[in-house]
Amino acid sequence: MEQPIFTTRAHVFQIDPSTKKNWVPASKQAVTVSYFYDVTRNSYRIISVDGAKVIINSTITPNMTFTKTSQKFGQWADSRANTVFGLGFSSEQQLTKFADKFQEVKEAAKLAKDKSQEKIETSSNHSQESGCETPSSTQASSVNGTDDEKASHVGPADTHLKSENDKLKIALTQSAANVKKWEIELQTLRESNARLTTALQESAASVEQWKKQFSICRDENDRLRNKIDELEEQCSEINREKEKNTQLKRRIEELESELREKETELKDLRKQSEIIPQLMSECEYVSEKLEAAERDNQNLEDKVRSLKTDIEESKYRQRHLKVELKSFLEVLDGKIDDLHDFRRGLSKLGTDN
């Protein structure tokens, strides 16, 4: 069984398989990275899992080297996985601990490899020695000894050979089992490598798709901004038109109030004209009032002309005001004619008297 012997947290990266220069993040956030020791195989591995996805499965060999590339980043190459792993730590102290543990595990893996080679060499030497001793002992017994001596010498040799053969059979069985385990482990590593390669390709495709979607969203955002600017400009134009309409309405109201005042003055003049004895005494006063009225009428005519000019300028926008203004002008002309008629009547009255 594998047991964790060291655990830390770091951001995991893998080298870009296409460029072999850029780092591709294998995890969105800091994940757990652990050293595991396999008691049965006497091997060490670095394993990291992000959710249900295995992002690091690297068996440490004596040939591996962990390199510190900065104060908080380190990397190592895994020839079996055909990639380079990178780890980003939150502090330099965590990076140093991980690097020291990597060196320690590397030395332990080297010692385990040396011991396994010594065992293999020892078993092969024992088999060679047992193979060489068998003919020499049989020759010595056959040449120098009698039949009884042969029996006494050959018996222990056969027993030794049987025990050595049994040991060799056990060693071969164990080595075959180990080879099968290694083959299974190699197949598992290849499948993991294939899955990791597929995941990297999928992530690269997803990144390209996200880039396209981001470009589309950015273009759409620019188009919407331009549309908003156009709408704001149209709203400002509408507000300006509303302000002009409001000013025109105020001007019309002012003119209407002045017209009502003049109508009131005309009514007063009519009442005064009914009193003939008093008209003679107030004729001069009325004449002055008439002159003032004429001046006011002249001013009104000037104002009407300016208003006509304003109305002509805004006739395309204020068509509904044209009828009302026309009626106003007709009424005003009628009032002016009435004033002239009234004046001629007064003049005639003065002449008759």
Side-chain angles (χ1 to χ4, degrees), residues 253-269:
E253 289 176 356
E254 290 176 358
L255 291 173
E256 287 178 351
S257 64
E258 290 179 1
L259 182 59
R260 285 193 294 269
E261 290 177 358
K262 295 303 177 182
E263 288 178 352
T264 305
E265 290 179 0
L266 288 173
K267 288 179 181 179
D268 294 337
L269 288 173

Side-chain angles (χ1 to χ4, degrees), residues 265-283:
E265 290 179 0
L266 288 173
K267 288 179 181 179
D268 294 337
L269 288 173
R270 285 191 183 127
K271 290 179 180 179
Q272 291 176 4
S273 65
E274 292 175 356
I275 306 171
I276 295 172
Q278 294 179 358
L279 284 176
M280 295 301 294
S281 63
E282 296 179 356
C283 183

Side-chain angles (χ1 to χ4, degrees), residues 7-10 12 26-34 36 45-57 87 196:
T7 300
T8 186
R9 292 185 67 83
V12 181
S27 61
K28 296 181 180 179
Q29 57 187 359
V31 295
T32 302
V33 182
S34 302
F36 278 84
R45 288 197 300 172
I46 299 176
I47 297 176
S48 179
V49 180
D50 186 8
K53 180 181 177 182
V54 178
I55 55 179
I56 298 179
N57 185 7
L87 296 179
L196 289 172

Side-chain angles (χ1 to χ4, degrees), residues 8-144:
T8 186
R9 292 185 67 83
H11 291 272
V12 181
F13 299 86
Q14 288 188 7
I15 201 72
D16 191 350
S18 59
T19 61
K20 299 295 183 181
K21 292 181 180 181
N22 300 324
W23 290 106
V24 178
S27 61
K28 296 181 180 179
Q29 57 187 359
V31 295
T32 302
V33 182
S34 302
Y35 287 94
F36 278 84
Y37 173 63
D38 192 346
V39 179
T40 57
R41 299 175 185 173
N42 195 17
S43 63
Y44 296 88
R45 288 197 300 172
I46 299 176
I47 297 176
S48 179
V49 180
D50 186 8
K53 180 181 177 182
V54 178
I55 55 179
I56 298 179
N57 185 7
S58 177
T59 302
I60 299 176
T61 61
N63 297 326
M64 288 184 177
T65 302
F66 186 82
T67 305
K68 296 180 181 179
T69 57
S70 66
Q71 293 182 351
K72 298 181 182 181
F73 193 86
Q75 65 183 43
W76 78 95
D78 191 343
S79 58
R80 294 182 179 180
N82 193 22
T83 186
V84 179
F85 294 101
L87 296 179
F89 296 90
S90 60
S91 64
E92 185 178 0
Q93 185 179 4
Q94 291 182 350
L95 174 61
T96 303
K97 289 182 180 180
F98 189 88
D100 294 341
K101 196 65 180 179
F102 192 96
Q103 186 65 28
E104 179 183 344
V105 170
K106 176 182 173 182
E107 295 294 334
K110 185 177 181 181
L111 291 174
K113 183 178 180 181
D114 293 340
K115 287 182 180 179
S116 63
Q117 288 180 353
E118 288 178 359
K119 288 181 180 180
I120 293 171
E121 290 175 358
T122 304
S123 61
S124 63
N125 290 332
H126 280 305
S127 62
Q128 290 177 0
E129 288 175 0
S130 61
C132 294
E133 287 176 357
T134 302
S136 62
S137 60
T138 53
Q139 287 179 0
S141 60
S142 61
V143 173
N144 297 324

Side-chain angles (χ1 to χ4, degrees), residues 106-270:
K106 176 182 173 182
E107 295 294 334
K110 185 177 181 181
L111 291 174
K113 183 178 180 181
D114 293 340
K115 287 182 180 179
S116 63
Q117 288 180 353
E118 288 178 359
K119 288 181 180 180
I120 293 171
E121 290 175 358
T122 304
S123 61
S124 63
N125 290 332
H126 280 305
S127 62
Q128 290 177 0
E129 288 175 0
S130 61
C132 294
E133 287 176 357
T134 302
S136 62
S137 60
T138 53
Q139 287 179 0
S141 60
S142 61
V143 173
N144 297 324
T146 60
D147 294 335
D148 295 333
E149 290 175 349
K150 289 178 183 179
S152 62
H153 286 290
V154 172
D158 290 338
T159 304
H160 181 68
L161 285 173
K162 286 180 180 180
S163 63
E164 290 295 329
N165 287 332
D166 292 336
K167 291 180 180 180
L168 286 173
K169 287 179 181 180
I170 293 170
L172 288 172
T173 304
Q174 291 179 352
S175 63
N178 290 330
V179 167
K180 186 176 288 186
K181 290 181 180 179
W182 291 338
E183 289 177 352
I184 293 170
E185 180 67 20
L186 181 60
Q187 184 64 26
T188 303
L189 290 174
R190 286 176 179 173
E191 292 176 355
S192 299
N193 190 18
R195 287 196 298 270
L196 289 172
T197 304
T198 304
L200 285 173
Q201 293 175 354
E202 291 177 354
S203 63
S206 299
V207 168
E208 292 296 330
Q209 186 177 1
W210 293 339
K211 286 181 179 179
K212 291 179 180 178
Q213 292 179 356
F214 177 74
S215 179
I216 293 170
C217 291
R218 184 173 57 189
D219 295 338
E220 183 68 17
N221 190 16
D222 294 337
R223 187 181 67 80
L224 290 175
R225 283 181 179 175
N226 294 330
K227 187 67 175 176
I228 289 170
D229 293 336
E230 292 177 358
L231 291 174
E232 287 179 351
E233 186 175 357
Q234 292 178 1
C235 290
S236 62
E237 291 179 357
I238 291 171
N239 291 329
R240 287 194 293 270
E241 293 296 330
K242 287 181 179 180
E243 290 178 358
K244 289 182 179 179
N245 292 334
T246 304
Q247 292 176 358
L248 287 173
K249 287 180 180 179
R250 290 176 181 174
R251 184 61 179 167
I252 290 170
E253 289 176 356
E254 290 176 358
L255 291 173
E256 287 178 351
S257 64
E258 290 179 1
L259 182 59
R260 285 193 294 269
E261 290 177 358
K262 295 303 177 182
E263 288 178 352
T264 305
E265 290 179 0
L266 288 173
K267 288 179 181 179
D268 294 337
L269 288 173
R270 285 191 183 127

